[in-house]
Amino acid sequence: MRSFEYWVPTRIQFGRGAEEKTAEEVQRLGAKRVLIVSGGASARRSGLLDRIEEQLKGAGIAAVTFEGAQPNPRLSHAKEGVRRAIEFGAGLILAVGGGSAIDTAKGIAHGAANPGVDLWEFWTGRAKVEKSLPVGVVLTISAAGSETSDSAVLTDEASGQKRGLSTPFNRPAFAIMDPALTLTLPPWQVKCGVVDILMHTLDRYFNPVQDNQLTDAIAEALLRTVLRCGRIAAADPTDYEAMSELMWAGSLSHNGLTGLGGVKDFAPHQLGHELSARFDVAHGASLSAVWGGWARFCLPSDPGRFARLGREVFGLTGADERALAEQAIGAMVGYFAEIGMPTCFSELGIGVQSEEQMASMARAVTYDGARRVGSFVSLGEEEILAIYRLCNH
Ligand code: NZQ
Ligand code: ZN
């Protein structure tokens, strides 16, 4: 086992009725004034927001609600939230929703604790988060894993950039995880979530350090569970058993556990973020659309790793590593297709792209030549363009 640092301080309340423990968790942190951050309309429509507001009020906690975080959450909206949080004197930011509400809440927490800093400076790396407000979460969708992750992703609509920020200050203080709250999800969002959960582990599993046996075994168990439960949930999003497994998997897949000792790759995520930034496509859909191209491009570098995925996760057999690797990629892409997720640009709904557009996307992924992405295979502009071409049908 290689060296690693693992710090996941989020207190988790998991299971039916966990929602009722929200005020208790806020009180445990000593917060008296809370800014509730939510998404478009789903949490209001389901009655959840009203219940949370009532619960806090009943516990003597002052709260105001800031709604409107949209998928691929916008920087300008987070900045508006910072103004609200400061004006209200919030001591805790409570996200009620999914990755978009949670990441907005994380941004607001950093901005409110550092009023002199332009929020985007944290995302560009020009400023470092050294203090923040605590963030609590009431989770309504199993997908991004933001409820325990150290990451937050925002889109600056002015520059068209979608960027992630990793810092220990992004780890929420608590997460209320009641799978029953996810049973109102439309099938499309469930499927996007399934892909994202798979990808948070795949983007760790494919990395150059491969002698962390327990980490690999945990990763493979998670992938098998998500593939099985994802298939059930995609067909019936009201299946509590499947949805509850997905909820826990979503957190474990992105809090670091499934990659301990390794070096994060996350190249498919970077390629997908560029598609979301340009075409505002759902995060999970952007990932399934690029993964097959990425995998085919990377296969020659390490067929053995793909073959292992085939054996351990898909139960494939055979002695020919190269053939197994190809079958494993086929099985993964086939799974995306089976549950109705896009596996190329046209299925993603953005159409076949021009060479010029793909070259511009590849350049943007490298921050105009300032970085390479991926650890399993290091990708520069040329390699990224080659991958986009493989997805371009
Ligand atoms: O906005 P509302 O009306 O709430 O509707 C949402 C939204 O349309 C809906 N929804 C959520 N819970 C629901 C529900 N509809 C019915 N019933 C419910 N219980 O689902 C839609 C998607 O919500 P969103 O929060 O956008 O989903 P997700 O959790 O997938 O978050 C996606 C965002 O997180 C980022 C993504 O890039 C994207 O911006 N990510 C954040 C990460 C992190 N912070 O660690 C890691 C990920 O890799 C990802 O990049
Ligand atoms: Zn993701």
Side-chain angles (χ1 to χ4, degrees):
M1 194 78 217
R2 301 287 182 108
S3 309
F4 60 82
E5 184 179 326
Y6 189 51
W7 183 72
V8 186
T10 310
R11 180 185 293 272
I12 289 161
Q13 298 285 0
F14 189 96
R16 274 190 205 277
E19 173 202 327
E20 287 156 26
K21 296 179 180 156
T22 308
E24 191 183 310
E25 289 302 328
V26 171
Q27 282 169 329
R28 196 196 299 277
L29 294 162
K32 304 264 184 295
R33 301 179 74 77
V34 171
L35 183 81
I36 301 173
V37 176
S38 193
S42 72
R44 185 64 76 190
R45 205 170 41 235
S46 68
L48 173 64
L49 258 186
D50 295 332
R51 294 197 302 274
I52 296 290
E53 287 165 351
E54 275 304 304
Q55 195 187 135
L56 295 186
K57 199 169 147 197
I61 299 161
V64 289
T65 303
F66 178 56
E67 293 172 65
Q70 52 183 305
N72 301 317
R74 309 301 197 264
L75 173 66
S76 61
H77 184 71
K79 283 185 170 176
E80 173 57 24
V82 172
R83 280 190 286 279
R84 303 270 184 102
I86 293 172
E87 191 181 280
F88 182 63
L92 182 143
I93 314 296
L94 179 65
V96 178
S100 298
I102 304 168
D103 290 0
T104 303
K106 290 176 177 179
I108 294 172
H110 304 335
N114 299 276
V117 184
D118 179 80
L119 194 54
W120 195 239
E121 301 278 294
F122 292 129
W123 267 259
T124 57
R126 287 192 287 266
K128 193 165 178 238
V129 184
E130 275 163 354
K131 59 179 185 312
S132 191
L133 293 182
V135 169
V137 174
V138 180
L139 188 64
T140 65
I141 171 171
S142 310
S146 186
E147 65 279 5
T148 59
S149 82
D150 70 350
S151 157
V153 187
L154 289 180
T155 297
D156 173 22
E157 56 273 58
S159 64
Q161 292 170 326
K162 177 172 178 171
R163 287 200 178 185
L165 163 71
S166 289
T167 161
F169 288 97
N170 274 335
R171 302 269 191 198
F174 68 84
I176 304 290
M177 298 173 60
D178 180 346
L181 299 179
T182 67
L183 303 186
T184 52
L185 278 164
W188 168 250
Q189 292 299 343
V190 173
K191 297 170 193 178
C192 285
V194 167
V195 172
D196 200 18
I197 297 169
L198 291 170
M199 209 60 67
H200 290 153
T201 287
L202 288 171
D203 275 2
R204 291 177 164 90
Y205 189 74
F206 288 97
N207 86 90
V209 185
Q210 297 177 9
D211 52 3
N212 295 300
Q213 296 177 41
L214 181 57
T215 294
D216 276 352
I218 290 172
E220 287 152 359
L222 184 138
L223 292 170
R224 286 192 301 268
T225 306
V226 175
L227 288 168
R228 188 175 63 248
C229 294
R231 193 174 267 130
I232 298 169
D236 178 9
T238 65
D239 186 307
Y240 182 89
E241 277 313 307
M243 293 295 276
S244 59
E245 295 286 343
L246 290 179
M247 186 171 250
W248 186 225
S251 287
L252 293 188
S253 195
H254 201 33
N255 75 16
L257 180 70
T258 60
L260 290 181
V263 188
K264 276 201 224 172
D265 177 85
F266 273 73
H269 261 77
Q270 301 308 322
L271 271 63
H273 281 344
E274 191 51 33
L275 294 171
S276 287
R278 284 190 196 222
F279 304 103
D280 203 17
V281 291
H283 175 59
S286 77
L287 299 173
S288 60
V290 298
W291 193 82
W294 171 87
R296 282 182 206 104
F297 181 86
C298 294
L299 184 151
S301 304
D302 189 352
R305 191 61 169 169
F306 288 97
R308 176 170 170 151
L309 178 81
R311 274 192 297 268
E312 301 298 329
V313 174
F314 290 103
L316 302 175
T317 52
D320 182 340
E321 293 282 283
R322 172 91 197 195
L324 266 180
E326 279 166 10
Q327 286 166 29
I329 294 172
M332 195 69 244
V333 174
Y335 179 84
F336 295 148
E338 180 199 325
I339 64 168
M341 290 302 290
T343 61
C344 62
F345 288 169
S346 53
E347 288 175 12
L348 183 60
I350 64 172
V352 172
Q353 298 299 306
S354 68
E355 205 39 41
E356 197 187 356
Q357 172 80 287
M358 286 189 293
S360 154
M361 294 194 309
R363 181 139 189 89
V365 173
T366 65
Y367 296 168
D368 285 332
R371 67 165 186 172
R372 296 176 71 83
V373 298
S375 65
F376 181 63
V377 177
S378 168
L379 308 173
E381 212 172 318
E382 202 179 305
E383 294 84 6
I384 295 168
L385 176 58
I387 293 172
Y388 278 143
R389 283 192 190 117
L390 289 171
C391 310
N392 196 30
H393 50 90

